[in-house]
Amino acid sequence: MTDVAVTTQSRITAVLKEYLELLQRDEHSQLRRMAQRLSMFTDLGKFGVPDPPRWRIHDFEDPRLFHFSRAYNAALNYGDASGLAYLGVSHPLVPAGALVGRLPATARRALAARLATVHASDAAIITATHQSGQTRLNGRREQAAIDGLEGDVTNGTLEQSTTAVLDKISGAVLIGARQREARGHLLTGMVEQLLLENKRARDTDAAAMNMQIVAWRDRRAANEALVAGAGDALRTWRQP
């Protein structure tokens, strides 16, 4: 004699186990397909960039080359936060602090504006030189990391899973973020240089306009002074 309830329960359990086994087989097959490298279906080498441009340095090892700017070339290669390399190749500015204090207010204002332009230019050039050198130095390091990532991603081996490749792509995204940051620094330096150039052009235009305005405003006195001076010169001139 058999117990119908027990038999039914056993059959139901067997069917559920069979379904679970089929489900686990499907999941295992899906995971294997997900873990397969793309190289099983296509050549990953086509995603690599052939012969990318390399970072180069300003060669100053030869003592016959760049004899008077070797320190500044080194700053362009590696950076120089102190600015000593730039100050070593730039024309020095004579200290004018004591002179400014003895000038009239108008002359003091004009001289201070010009001195400010020179000092701002020095600060911008020192910063841009340092950023350029740091970008060049870090660019060579980043190039080595990029070459390693590209070699891992584009090889045809099946030992690395898709997840491993995605991890390397995440590393590439991080390198890209660093490169965008460096590009932002360089763009900032370019904007600073443009601002200084615009300031110089504006100061030149303002000086020329002031000269014209003063000539129009004081033309009567200027003409009388010119006539008086010319007449006095003619009256007092003698043959040497």
Side-chain angles (χ1 to χ4, degrees):
M1 294 180 64
T2 59
D3 190 343
V4 177
V6 174
T7 303
T8 302
Q9 182 179 3
S10 299
R11 289 179 178 178
I12 293 175
T13 302
V15 171
L16 289 176
K17 288 184 177 180
E18 183 178 1
Y19 284 153
L20 290 175
E21 182 181 3
L22 293 175
L23 179 60
Q24 290 176 352
R25 287 181 180 180
D26 291 341
E27 290 178 350
H28 183 264
S29 300
Q30 183 67 22
L31 291 174
R32 287 185 59 86
R33 286 194 297 270
M34 292 173 61
Q36 289 174 348
R37 288 291 307 276
L38 185 60
S39 57
M40 294 186 61
F41 310 101
T42 184
D43 181 16
L44 298 180
K46 64 183 180 182
F47 299 110
V49 179
D51 193 19
R54 300 290 174 175
W55 284 95
R56 299 180 62 86
I57 65 173
H58 299 280
D59 189 7
F60 58 92
E61 298 298 334
D62 190 346
R64 297 171 299 179
L65 299 176
F66 314 116
H67 176 71
F68 296 101
S69 62
R70 295 182 66 187
Y72 189 68
N73 287 338
L76 292 175
N77 290 329
Y78 310 109
D80 178 28
S82 65
L84 295 178
Y86 164 73
L87 295 177
V89 297
S90 60
H91 194 74
L93 184 65
V94 176
L99 176 61
V100 173
R102 298 197 300 265
L103 293 176
T106 303
R108 183 167 60 251
R109 178 68 177 83
L111 182 59
R114 294 186 178 184
L115 290 174
T117 301
V118 175
H119 291 166
S121 299
D122 289 341
I125 294 174
I126 290 173
T127 301
T129 299
H130 177 64
Q131 290 177 349
S132 177
Q134 286 289 292
T135 301
R136 189 179 298 276
L137 176 62
N138 293 332
R140 296 194 295 272
R141 297 171 177 172
E142 290 174 358
Q143 185 63 49
I146 292 172
D147 290 340
L149 286 173
E150 184 176 351
D152 288 342
V153 173
T154 60
N155 63 42
T157 179
L158 300 180
E159 296 178 356
Q160 301 183 52
S161 66
T162 303
T163 303
V165 176
L166 291 176
D167 288 339
K168 293 179 174 62
I169 294 176
S170 299
V173 172
L174 178 59
I175 294 176
R178 290 296 186 184
Q179 290 177 335
R180 288 190 294 273
E181 180 184 9
R183 185 164 60 248
H185 291 169
L186 292 178
L187 290 176
T188 301
M190 294 176 61
V191 171
E192 291 175 352
Q193 295 293 330
L194 292 175
L195 289 174
L196 289 172
E197 290 298 326
N198 290 334
K199 182 185 183 304
R200 289 182 184 276
R202 185 265 177 196
D203 288 347
T204 301
D205 291 341
M209 184 62 67
N210 288 339
M211 292 173 62
Q212 186 64 55
I213 292 174
V214 171
W216 288 341
R217 185 190 64 191
D218 302 334
R219 63 183 181 274
R220 183 182 299 276
N223 291 336
E224 292 176 354
L226 177 61
V227 172
D232 184 67
L234 291 174
R235 285 192 302 269
T236 60
W237 181 81
R238 296 291 183 272
Q239 180 70 34

